[in-house]
Amino acid sequence: MMISGNGIKSFLYEESETTLLHLTGFKLTDLECKHVAHTDCERSKLAKELAELVGHKYCILGSHRPQKHTSIEQQICYEKSVIKEMVNCGPTRPIRIVLTEDKRVWSDNNHTTVAHILSRGKEVSIEDVPHYIVDFRGESPVIISINCSVLNSVIDIKSAIASAQRLNIRTKKGYRPEHFTWGISDLFNQLYA
């Protein structure tokens, strides 16, 4: 599903050779996650309910895809095969890290994040993998390309910002109340426990 960046009118762009200092040592498993694989526990049910309250209808991993599986189990099995293919090819796609106004740190492409964890281990940190940052903590969004990880296309950059912006807007609407977190580690454990 391609997200258009037509609504993005201004942004700042920075190049950097290193990640932001406060993200150094931040494990991929500690990133916030927008997907659940199952709603078989109270926390995952709550994550899905909160997502629906703010209009995120694709909370179940893979539900954004046009093909419809007859069950969530089949859908998740397919998503795991997508991740496995990424691992088999050696994940090279950068992870889009989103810093929302509420100061949370998100992965905006969960399949890629999980593939990097499977390839490198649960202790892998943000600075160990290709990534770029979309930061909404200031007046205008800032996209920070770490080691030239962002394509040199304004259209692609605007689309990445638009995708990340949806997370920021949802957090303002209560997507993740202060007392609640659902992370990549939670999704990972649902998929590979």
Side-chain angles (χ1 to χ4, degrees):
M1 176 172 68
M2 180 65 174
I3 296 167
S4 167
N6 292 339
I8 304 299
K9 300 301 180 203
S10 68
F11 62 90
L12 301 172
Y13 181 85
E14 297 176 9
E15 290 275 347
S16 179
E17 293 181 9
T18 59
T19 196
L20 298 178
L21 186 59
H22 77 283
L23 296 179
T24 301
F26 201 105
K27 292 181 188 176
L28 298 185
T29 53
D30 293 335
L31 293 167
E32 288 284 334
C33 179
K34 62 185 179 182
H35 292 299
V36 299
H38 307 283
T39 53
D40 55 356
C41 71
E42 289 305 313
R43 286 187 62 250
S44 60
K45 283 180 192 172
L46 180 57
K48 185 173 186 288
E49 289 170 11
L50 290 167
E52 290 169 349
L53 284 174
V54 298
H56 180 32
K57 58 185 177 182
Y58 301 121
C59 182
I60 301 291
L61 187 69
S63 58
H64 66 288
R65 297 189 194 281
Q67 78 276 7
K68 297 294 178 200
H69 298 281
T70 56
S71 70
I72 289 178
E73 289 76 23
Q74 287 179 332
Q75 181 176 315
I76 297 305
C77 187
Y78 175 77
E79 297 308 314
K80 287 174 72 173
S81 74
V82 169
I83 293 167
K84 183 177 180 183
E85 183 64 26
M86 292 172 140
V87 171
N88 290 344
C89 294
T92 57
R93 181 178 173 199
I95 297 172
R96 181 170 43 249
I97 305 295
V98 180
L99 305 177
T100 51
E101 289 177 45
D102 66 352
K103 311 290 189 262
R104 292 187 188 230
V105 184
W106 294 76
S107 162
D108 196 21
N109 42 5
N110 297 166
H111 290 78
T112 303
T113 304
V114 170
H116 279 291
I117 293 167
L118 286 171
S119 293
R120 299 169 187 248
K122 288 184 179 182
E123 298 301 312
V124 65
S125 296
I126 290 174
E127 69 270 15
D128 298 328
V129 298
H131 68 284
Y132 61 97
I133 298 166
V134 183
D135 187 350
F136 289 102
R137 297 172 302 161
E139 279 186 45
S140 293
V142 179
I143 191 154
I144 305 166
S145 179
I146 310 297
N147 292 320
C148 302
S149 57
V150 175
L151 299 175
N152 290 329
S153 162
V154 172
I155 293 170
D156 288 340
I157 291 170
K158 285 181 161 186
S159 295
I161 292 169
S163 178
Q165 189 173 46
R166 294 183 318 170
L167 276 172
N168 193 52
I169 290 168
R170 289 177 187 144
T171 59
K172 288 188 209 178
K173 293 179 178 178
Y175 189 24
R176 288 290 196 272
E178 190 175 320
H179 68 280
F180 182 77
T181 186
W182 180 264
I184 289 292
S185 63
D186 297 304
L187 175 65
F188 189 92
N189 290 336
Q190 284 189 318
L191 293 171
Y192 300 104

